[in-house]
Amino acid sequence: MDLKLLIPTGYVPPVTTKEDFDEYEKFRLTNGVKPLFDGYELYYTNPDVITSEIINFSPVAKKIKVVHCPLTKLKSGGFINKMLQLVIFRYHPQDFYKTARRSFIFGKEIGAKQILFHTTDLDLQKPQESIDFLLALQKEFSLEATIEIPHLAHVLAIAKYFCLLEKSGEPQKWLYVPSVFIQKFPRIKITFDNCYTESSGLDIVSEWDKVSNNVSHIHFSAYSRGKPAHLTPNLKDHSHLVTFLQHVKKTSFNNELTLEISPFQTFSEQLVNYIFTLTALFSFPLFKKQQISNALRHLNSTINFIRKI
């Protein structure tokens, strides 16, 4: 069984433009016969810039299957901004409920199938109420809610802030262990991120077997200790990912897999990203073009890796 592949769009920070969508769609149709992949996962990090009207009149119209990381606490998304809120701003749990609804409305307008949240996006003072609210939105909009489980390092500071720690000092396991999350909230589907699962010290095949019936989506990338997350896999260093994908293919999983591959994997790529972020206000298109070029190169390598399995 061939896996249905998505690639991320809107993933190259700090802003996304229609030109980004043009580049990704040209890449999808590179060989002119069969598309390289099946669609997109949109990283919805700035709803004031990327509206449903822009999406629906862009080359990626009707091809976005998943809306990722809806804004639940801040006007600009991402983990760093969430942490800034915890440090600088007062936490408003009602923001989750308002922006979750806004994200479902957006997803419906662009024809998406799923809206993806993280455990750390929930109202952590009332997580069960949050899950029930997402399930109600799921029924109202006929869109599936899916929860991605971040890795241990990401949830540690947030768990401390909300007093969600075990006696050992570690975060409560439902925040970062997929199988424990499913035990606590069995009615909602999850996104299985092999990179996050592995970086939390878990065996990805064993963890997959525990949760596969509750998985509606996969995020795929390679992990190497001491390196940035979401790397391009290679057979020399990541042969266990071949075993994992072969294992997934043997199960009943029939949904999409997103290649969540970072554009910034080398020192020079990260440097370009820092420069672009610092100069974004002055609109230096050279750095943006270089970022997209890096992203597409790494994605192409990952597609080749998967197609050979």
Side-chain angles (χ1 to χ4, degrees), residues 87-152:
V87 174
I88 299 172
F89 304 106
R90 184 178 178 182
Y91 173 69
H92 297 287
Q94 288 303 312
D95 289 352
F96 166 77
Y97 303 98
K98 293 175 183 176
T99 54
R101 174 170 288 277
R102 181 179 180 180
S103 300
F104 270 84
I105 292 171
F106 174 80
K108 192 72 173 179
E109 289 173 345
I110 66 170
K113 292 171 51 180
Q114 294 180 336
I115 311 293
L116 183 152
F117 297 82
H118 304 82
T119 56
T120 49
D121 291 325
L122 303 174
D123 175 1
L124 294 178
Q125 295 171 338
K126 299 177 180 178
Q128 182 62 63
E129 188 174 307
S130 301
I131 296 295
D132 291 342
F133 184 73
L134 291 179
L135 291 170
L137 289 176
Q138 178 174 277
K139 184 176 181 180
E140 178 182 348
F141 288 92
S142 299
L143 291 175
E144 187 171 54
T146 180
I147 304 292
E148 182 177 7
I149 318 299
H151 63 77
L152 175 59

Side-chain angles (χ1 to χ4, degrees), residues 118-297:
H118 304 82
T119 56
T120 49
D121 291 325
L122 303 174
D123 175 1
L124 294 178
Q125 295 171 338
K126 299 177 180 178
Q128 182 62 63
E129 188 174 307
S130 301
I131 296 295
D132 291 342
F133 184 73
L134 291 179
L135 291 170
L137 289 176
Q138 178 174 277
K139 184 176 181 180
E140 178 182 348
F141 288 92
S142 299
L143 291 175
E144 187 171 54
T146 180
I147 304 292
E148 182 177 7
I149 318 299
H151 63 77
L152 175 59
H154 268 196
V155 305
L156 183 57
I158 292 175
K160 287 180 179 178
Y161 182 87
F162 288 104
C163 300
L164 295 172
L165 299 175
E166 306 284 5
K167 290 182 179 179
S168 64
E170 290 190 347
Q172 293 181 7
K173 290 186 181 299
W174 68 268
L175 287 164
Y176 68 96
V177 178
S179 56
V180 177
F181 177 86
I182 287 300
Q183 290 172 7
K184 188 175 179 68
F185 305 108
R187 295 171 56 220
I188 197 163
K189 298 293 186 179
I190 68 168
T191 290
F192 188 88
D193 189 309
N194 73 284
C195 178
Y196 284 164
T197 302
E198 187 176 353
S199 63
S200 293
L202 304 168
D203 180 81
I204 55 176
V205 172
S206 174
E207 198 65 18
W208 171 267
D209 285 341
K210 295 174 185 177
V211 302
S212 60
N213 289 337
N214 292 80
V215 174
S216 61
H217 188 56
I218 295 174
H219 277 179
F220 179 79
S221 61
Y223 167 74
S224 293
R225 186 179 297 276
K227 294 185 179 181
H230 303 312
L231 299 173
T232 303
N234 63 76
L235 287 174
K236 178 182 176 183
D237 300 319
H238 309 110
S239 58
H240 65 291
L241 294 182
V242 175
T243 302
F244 170 67
L245 290 177
Q246 289 173 337
H247 192 69
V248 169
K249 285 184 174 184
K250 292 176 182 177
T251 67
S252 58
F253 181 79
N254 193 35
N255 292 316
E256 286 88 5
L257 177 150
T258 295
L259 307 178
E260 194 177 38
I261 304 299
S262 172
F264 323 119
Q265 300 191 27
T266 66
F267 174 78
S268 61
E269 289 169 354
Q270 292 180 45
L271 181 61
V272 168
N273 178 47
Y274 294 143
I275 293 172
F276 175 66
T277 301
L278 290 172
T279 60
L281 293 176
F282 304 101
S283 299
F284 285 169
L286 172 63
F287 296 120
K288 181 69 168 183
K289 187 174 181 180
Q290 183 62 50
Q291 282 187 312
I292 292 178
S293 175
N294 291 339
L296 297 183
R297 178 164 49 84

Side-chain angles (χ1 to χ4, degrees), residues 56-98:
N56 290 333
F57 285 95
S58 78
V60 300
K62 307 304 179 185
K63 301 181 185 75
I64 292 172
K65 310 297 184 182
V66 183
V67 177
H68 180 106
C69 197
L71 304 184
T72 53
K73 295 182 178 69
L74 289 176
K75 290 185 178 179
S76 56
F79 175 74
I80 296 299
N81 286 323
K82 285 188 173 66
M83 292 311 304
L84 286 175
Q85 165 154 0
L86 298 183
V87 174
I88 299 172
F89 304 106
R90 184 178 178 182
Y91 173 69
H92 297 287
Q94 288 303 312
D95 289 352
F96 166 77
Y97 303 98
K98 293 175 183 176

